[in-house]
């Protein structure tokens, strides 16, 4: 679990301090919204190549 948290950062200068995937402006909320809208992990990874499966797992664990 702690390893997953290393992929999430909170910086007041990025997306108003929302938890984001490290090195991106993609928030945990973005990933959760995509998943709840029916996107598969594969579709998310294809649309956002800067993400990896571990980032999706980290977002879910953070939530």
């Amino acid at each position: 679990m702690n390893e997953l948290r290393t992929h999430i950062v909170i910086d007041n200068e990025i997306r108003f301090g929302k938890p984001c995937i490290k090195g991106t402006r993609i928030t945990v909320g973005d990933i959760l919204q995509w998943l709840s809208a029916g996107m598969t992990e594969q579709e998310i990874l294809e649309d956002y190549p800067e993400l990896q499966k571990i980032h999706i797992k980290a977002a879910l664990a953070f939530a």
Side-chain angles (χ1 to χ4, degrees):
M1 180 76 157
N2 286 335
E3 177 185 324
L4 293 175
R5 289 184 182 221
T6 63
H7 297 283
I8 307 291
V9 294
I10 298 174
D11 181 340
N12 289 334
E13 300 296 318
I14 300 172
R15 300 283 305 262
F16 304 102
K18 295 178 182 176
C20 292
I21 302 300
K22 189 175 184 178
T24 74
R25 295 180 55 80
I26 298 171
T27 67
V28 167
D30 293 335
I31 293 172
L32 297 176
Q33 286 179 339
W34 298 328
L35 291 170
S36 69
M39 286 183 79
T40 65
E41 282 188 15
Q42 190 58 38
E43 289 172 327
I44 293 170
L45 296 174
E46 288 172 5
D47 287 353
Y48 301 91
E50 63 271 32
L51 293 179
Q52 300 172 10
K53 281 187 177 189
I54 191 75
H55 296 138
I56 295 172
K57 288 181 183 180
L60 290 169
F62 186 87

